[in-house]
Amino acid sequence: MAGHRQRMKKRLKRLKIGKNHPVLSVFVFMILFTLTACIAAMFVGTFVLFQVDSRLSSEVQTVYLLSRFYDECEDTEKGYELLDSSNMDYIVTDGNGNIIRSRGSDTRSDRTGLYYGTFDISDSDTLHSVYLYEDSEKPVIRPHDDDNIQIDVPGYAQELAQGLKNLKETDEPHDDADDDTQDYKLFKLPVWTGIDARNKGEIIYYKCMVTAEMSDVAFIITLFAAICILLTMIIVILIANLIRGAANQRKMRNLLFTDLVLGSHNKLWYFIRGDVMLTGLGSARKNYAAVDLEFVGYKRFCVCHSSEDGENALKSIYSVLSSKIGKKELCCHSSEDSFALLLEYKDEEELKHRIEKLISSITHVKEDHKIAFHGGAFLMPSIPGSGRFSRRMDADIETAYNNASAAAASLADRDGSGYTFFDDKFIEEQRWEDTVSDIQQQALENEEFVVYYQPKYDPRTNELRGAEALIRWQSPQYGFVTPYKFIPIFEKNGFITEIDHYMISHVARDQKRWLDEGQKCVPVSVNVSRAHFIESDLAEQIRDMVDKYGAPHELIEIELTESAFFDDKKAMINTIRRLKEYGFAVSMDDFGSGYSSLNSLKDMPLDVLKLDAGFFRGEEATTERGEIVVSEAIKLAKSLDMRTVAEGVEAKEQVDFLAHLGCDMIQGYYYAKPMPADDYRERLITGRSQGGDIADAV
Ligand code: C2E
Ligand code: CA
Ligand code: CA
């Protein structure tokens, strides 16, 4: 069963119609997107940091320069003035952090939390430490408690004057341009920078504005935009591909799962959906039945009507069946003349009732024609003890449907509607069928098939008037096999025509031999199958076979079963005529066993009517109505100038009754069972029967 699932998966893979995985595609896409976004963010972040860093260090450089000016300023007041003229917020503290002088509010924050770090900036001789704090509105002031070591950088007073002047100059136009340029300022980051002005034992905290302008971030924006465009393109292409893929898959699925004749679902669809249904959640708790419904004689229907009529009938059948099944059940056109269903059922009785109803609902889809259906069902009952969500993992929809078809096919020899359930008996029958098919040719060549003869007697005189040749199989492997066990198989696989030839040849050979031995012979009838009668030169084949052994034609009679008369009537009449021309008698076998063949009787130039054994079996044999039918059939045959043979007669009263009606011959256990050729030869010699002396043969 697991093999079946593998097979199904492989098949789907081959057809490239596995499940589309949009979730997986989206997942992969998300990963790609996140990765790309991270890389872009890292890149942009690094760039921004670099920008900020470079801005900050240039600000720090300015402050450092300022501190040096301050440092070098011999007159402190002059230094303060210079600071004031710098236009920036500042705080001057002593080494203990006490504010000596300030401009702007002190918004330095807790340096333990928001302290950026200490930068070392070197001039030509010395390293200077710079302390950076974030500008927050927190009122906490914790000045840096460094050693308060003063540094002495000579000649800075002049530089300070010049530097502050420069600062002022650069600030003033800067302020003027502020209005024009503020549009381009993207952000301003206020940062407090502290410098040791060690000469004075003071620390200058200076509020720098780190700004980013449009031009600074133009590259970042361009890069970001490019990444966004790229990502959008990827998304669009991916979505377009997903949509196109899904549409293509839908198209392909539709094509693969649609029956080209009816436009309905086909067998592949049935197998795939059936597999999903049978193995789905909770499937183990349900009863399922795979059902096959076969249109009996679809080909004949098309010949009698037209192919178009046939297709229309199939369409109507499909639409009726589809309307009669539940939402969670399946129906498809599985082959030329068959429909596959997957039904849920409560119990076997309910299922039987349902199948009967389904068959009766489609029998009359064609007003002028009653269509017969053969149904087969394979039952998959629920698995006892299974939970609410248990799956039926051993289910195999293909095997289930094949079994249902095999069950339907077992009704092949039946002309009317009917249905049957598949059971283990079928497997054995199938095996037997395969075995027989395998060894039939060898058995024929080994002459394992033996001709038995069942005599026919005149009930009035008890004289031997004829016999029927009946086949027996003496198999070295399987023993004595009755024809009921192999003739239907030969009829199915076509080997029956070989058997018919074999029997005719052997009967002709026996007759010729007995004649040559000086024995007076009576006509022997041989069964010729319905399949054989389709051959246009059948009469000539029989003539040639009989002539090969030199037996007189009048000693051979050809038996046709009643059902054969439903086939091509014209061809049949033609063959019968030619057989009669060659001197062979032709009889209708099993008259009254199934269909009324009165119409055929009228048209067919037959010589003998064989009344079916059913007339003399069971209750009907003894009823008045039964007797009326037999007596009328004999009368009818007489009026059509046909001889009558009653088959299956076992009781003396029946013989007397038939004798009274003028029945010409009786073939039944009352006189004799079928017997080997040698025993029959004895009967030929005797010629007459006492009646009631049932022979030992079979
Ligand atoms: P059938 O042609 O209707 O043959 C008559 C069957 O009825 C024979 O069964 C015979 O043994 C049986 N029978 C005759 N009298 C009585 C009776 O009084 N009581 C009972 N219970 N049965 C009786 P058999 O020989 O087993 O053959 C069965 C069927 O197999 C035949 O039915 C025929 O359809 C087919 N068959 C047999 N031999 C051949 C053959 O050589 N060629 C073809 N094509 N079919 C054959
Ligand atoms: Ca027969
Ligand atoms: Ca018969």
Side-chain angles (χ1 to χ4, degrees):
M1 299 292 170
H4 154 73
R5 308 219 73 212
Q6 289 292 99
R7 216 166 55 235
M8 189 79 83
K9 272 187 190 159
K10 260 191 198 163
R11 191 175 297 174
L12 285 176
K13 213 171 169 187
R14 211 180 312 135
L15 296 170
K16 294 194 172 41
I17 51 162
K19 268 189 193 153
N20 193 7
H21 292 294
V23 179
L24 190 72
S25 309
V26 169
F27 184 69
V28 170
F29 165 73
M30 293 289 283
I31 289 178
L32 276 174
F33 182 86
T34 317
L35 264 173
T36 321
C38 282
I39 292 168
M42 269 168 62
F43 197 79
V44 169
T46 315
F47 191 78
V48 167
L49 276 177
F50 170 74
Q51 282 286 325
V52 169
D53 197 44
S54 60
R55 293 269 149 189
L56 202 61
S57 63
S58 82
E59 285 287 321
V60 167
Q61 284 291 350
T62 310
V63 179
Y64 175 58
L65 181 69
L66 192 71
S67 77
R68 281 171 67 195
F69 293 155
Y70 179 79
D71 234 7
E72 286 302 305
C73 203
E74 280 156 25
D75 178 352
T76 310
E77 280 311 311
K78 204 175 170 193
Y80 288 150
E81 265 172 46
L82 286 168
L83 275 176
D84 291 341
S85 66
S86 71
N87 232 358
M88 295 180 213
D89 291 350
Y90 69 89
I91 294 165
V92 179
T93 67
D94 61 16
N96 297 322
N98 301 317
I99 298 173
I100 301 165
R101 192 182 169 89
S102 70
R103 191 174 68 205
S105 55
D106 179 6
T107 54
R108 289 171 304 162
S109 58
D110 180 351
R111 77 178 208 200
T112 55
L114 297 154
Y115 176 54
Y116 279 149
T118 305
F119 295 77
D120 288 332
I121 298 169
S122 61
D123 58 34
S124 51
D125 306 313
T126 328
L127 271 182
H128 304 281
S129 292
V130 175
Y131 310 99
L132 288 180
Y133 297 87
E134 187 193 61
D135 178 25
S136 80
E137 295 302 321
K138 274 189 178 174
V140 188
I141 301 166
R142 296 245 180 97
H144 175 61
D145 57 349
D146 215 333
D147 301 341
N148 202 16
I149 298 166
Q150 310 240 330
I151 50 161
D152 189 12
V153 185
Y156 270 20
Q158 295 80 353
E159 280 185 47
L160 175 70
Q162 187 56 45
L164 288 179
K165 198 171 161 233
N166 289 348
L167 268 175
K168 210 172 175 189
E169 277 169 6
T170 48
D171 276 350
E172 274 163 9
H174 183 80
D175 279 355
D176 294 344
D178 227 24
D179 285 345
D180 303 334
T181 53
Q182 70 189 179
D183 287 348
Y184 302 103
K185 299 250 168 59
L186 288 180
F187 65 82
K188 286 182 171 183
L189 183 69
V191 175
W192 281 100
T193 310
I195 303 286
D196 272 344
R198 289 173 188 175
N199 284 0
K200 307 286 176 197
E202 291 168 355
I203 298 168
I204 298 172
Y205 286 98
Y206 201 89
K207 189 172 173 184
C208 318
M209 296 305 286
V210 181
T211 57
E213 292 176 12
M214 196 63 165
S215 57
D216 297 329
V217 289
F219 176 71
I220 302 173
I221 291 172
T222 317
L223 183 79
F224 195 72
I227 291 170
C228 283
I229 291 169
L230 198 77
L231 279 176
T232 316
M233 275 167 64
I234 293 172
I235 294 170
V236 168
I237 291 170
L238 242 148
I239 291 175
N241 266 342
L242 272 176
I243 294 172
R244 212 183 38 208
N248 279 345
Q249 267 200 355
R250 201 174 312 122
K251 255 190 224 164
M252 204 163 79
R253 271 170 184 260
N254 282 348
L255 203 71
L256 278 167
F257 295 155
T258 303
D259 180 84
L260 294 178
V261 180
L262 305 192
S264 64
H265 293 306
N266 63 11
K267 197 151 99 177
L268 185 63
W269 174 87
Y270 175 82
F271 284 160
I272 287 163
R273 290 293 304 273
D275 186 57
V276 172
M277 254 176 78
L278 289 183
T279 56
L281 277 181
S283 55
R285 278 162 60 100
K286 293 178 185 162
N287 298 319
Y288 289 103
V291 178
D292 180 45
L293 286 179
E294 289 180 14
F295 183 138
V296 178
Y298 174 69
K299 281 215 165 75
R300 254 184 290 155
F301 180 92
C302 290
V303 171
C304 294
H305 296 76
S306 68
S307 300
E308 207 185 333
D309 268 6
E311 280 176 18
N312 287 337
L314 292 176
K315 275 182 193 157
S316 309
I317 294 163
Y318 177 74
S319 80
V320 172
L321 287 177
S322 312
S323 70
K324 301 257 173 216
I325 60 163
K327 272 187 188 156
K328 290 188 174 171
E329 297 179 323
L330 307 179
C331 172
C332 83
H333 181 221
S334 53
S335 67
E336 190 184 37
D337 57 355
S338 305
F339 295 88
L341 305 165
L342 187 61
L343 305 177
E344 271 184 44
Y345 67 95
K346 278 199 199 93
D347 52 60
E348 287 191 23
E349 274 317 300
E350 186 254 356
L351 180 65
K352 279 181 188 168
H353 186 62
R354 181 124 187 253
I355 295 175
E356 277 162 20
K357 268 177 81 178
L358 282 173
I359 291 179
S360 76
S361 68
I362 50 178
T363 304
H364 293 288
V365 289
K366 271 268 171 208
E367 276 170 16
D368 53 336
H369 191 102
K370 186 181 173 191
I371 304 172
F373 288 90
H374 287 167
F378 179 76
L379 309 195
M380 291 165 275
S382 59
I383 299 161
S386 48
R388 221 173 132 198
F389 300 109
S390 309
R391 294 166 190 272
R392 182 193 289 273
M393 293 317 290
D394 64 337
D396 178 353
I397 183 70
E398 283 193 56
T399 307
Y401 179 66
N402 286 344
N403 290 346
S405 300
S410 72
L411 304 172
D413 51 346
R414 223 179 123 150
D415 284 291
S417 287
Y419 67 91
T420 180
F421 288 175
F422 180 93
D423 55 29
D424 291 344
K425 188 184 86 203
F426 272 99
I427 300 174
E428 258 176 46
E429 279 177 7
Q430 198 57 53
R431 279 204 195 113
W432 171 245
E433 208 173 307
D434 292 348
T435 309
V436 170
S437 300
D438 284 348
I439 59 174
Q440 59 194 24
Q441 187 61 40
Q442 197 57 50
L444 190 84
E445 284 163 19
N446 295 348
E447 297 251 337
E448 289 171 23
F449 298 110
V450 183
V451 184
Y452 268 46
Y453 291 89
Q454 185 176 30
K456 298 170 190 166
Y457 285 94
D458 183 332
R460 282 159 303 188
T461 61
N462 288 336
E463 268 178 42
L464 182 71
R465 296 275 302 276
E468 177 175 3
L470 294 160
I471 195 166
R472 297 291 179 265
W473 185 6
Q474 307 268 21
S475 164
Q477 244 174 309
Y478 302 100
F480 187 87
V481 189
T482 142
Y484 289 113
K485 286 197 78 179
F486 60 88
I487 290 290
I489 299 174
F490 292 163
E491 273 169 351
K492 235 197 249 179
N493 67 23
F495 194 63
I496 193 71
T497 53
E498 305 269 331
I499 289 294
D500 287 350
H501 286 169
Y502 181 92
M503 291 296 282
I504 293 168
S505 307
H506 278 68
V507 169
R509 191 190 62 189
D510 286 350
Q511 293 278 54
K512 174 72 173 126
R513 195 180 69 234
W514 292 325
L515 280 177
D516 289 349
E517 287 166 6
Q519 183 57 55
K520 191 173 169 279
C521 291
V522 288
V524 172
S525 59
V526 186
N527 294 285
V528 172
S529 84
R530 176 177 168 168
H532 210 156
F533 239 78
I534 295 164
E535 290 179 19
S536 57
D537 62 341
L538 178 70
E540 287 67 36
Q541 286 181 34
I542 293 174
R543 180 196 61 194
D544 296 346
M545 266 183 285
V546 174
D547 288 349
K548 189 175 161 196
Y549 294 97
H553 294 185
E554 63 274 14
L555 288 184
I556 305 290
E557 186 180 311
I558 302 300
E559 282 193 22
L560 282 171
T561 53
E562 196 192 47
S563 55
F565 291 83
F566 280 90
D567 293 325
D568 189 348
K569 242 185 198 175
K570 260 191 193 163
M572 193 153 214
I573 294 173
N574 203 304
T575 305
I576 294 172
R577 286 230 167 90
R578 293 210 313 281
L579 279 169
K580 287 179 56 130
E581 263 171 41
Y582 300 138
F584 300 105
V586 183
S587 57
M588 184 197 273
D589 199 2
D590 303 335
F591 178 77
S593 64
Y595 298 93
S596 158
S597 21
L598 293 172
N599 216 24
S600 315
L601 276 186
K602 177 175 67 83
D603 303 324
M604 306 276 172
L606 297 160
D607 302 288
V608 181
L609 189 70
K610 292 189 79 177
L611 300 178
D612 189 65
F615 285 120
F616 313 104
R617 222 183 281 137
E619 282 175 21
E620 207 184 307
T622 51
T623 62
E624 200 180 320
R625 286 171 71 85
E627 287 180 1
I628 292 171
V629 174
V630 172
S631 107
E632 289 305 314
I634 292 172
K635 267 190 216 162
L636 178 75
K638 285 196 177 299
S639 63
L640 288 170
D641 209 16
M642 293 166 80
R643 276 165 283 144
T644 46
V645 177
E647 272 189 304
V649 176
E650 295 182 356
K652 169 103 174 72
E653 307 81 66
Q654 290 169 337
V655 176
D656 293 342
F657 172 68
L658 288 163
H660 172 73
L661 292 176
C663 177
D664 298 296
M665 282 168 269
I666 284 180
Q667 176 190 343
Y669 290 178
Y670 174 77
Y671 283 111
K673 284 187 173 180
M675 56 189 76
D678 287 347
D679 294 354
Y680 173 66
R681 192 174 177 277
E682 295 297 313
R683 294 266 178 162
L684 273 177
I685 297 165
T686 320
R688 186 182 279 271
S689 166
Q690 300 307 306
D693 54 349
I694 295 177
D696 305 330
V698 282

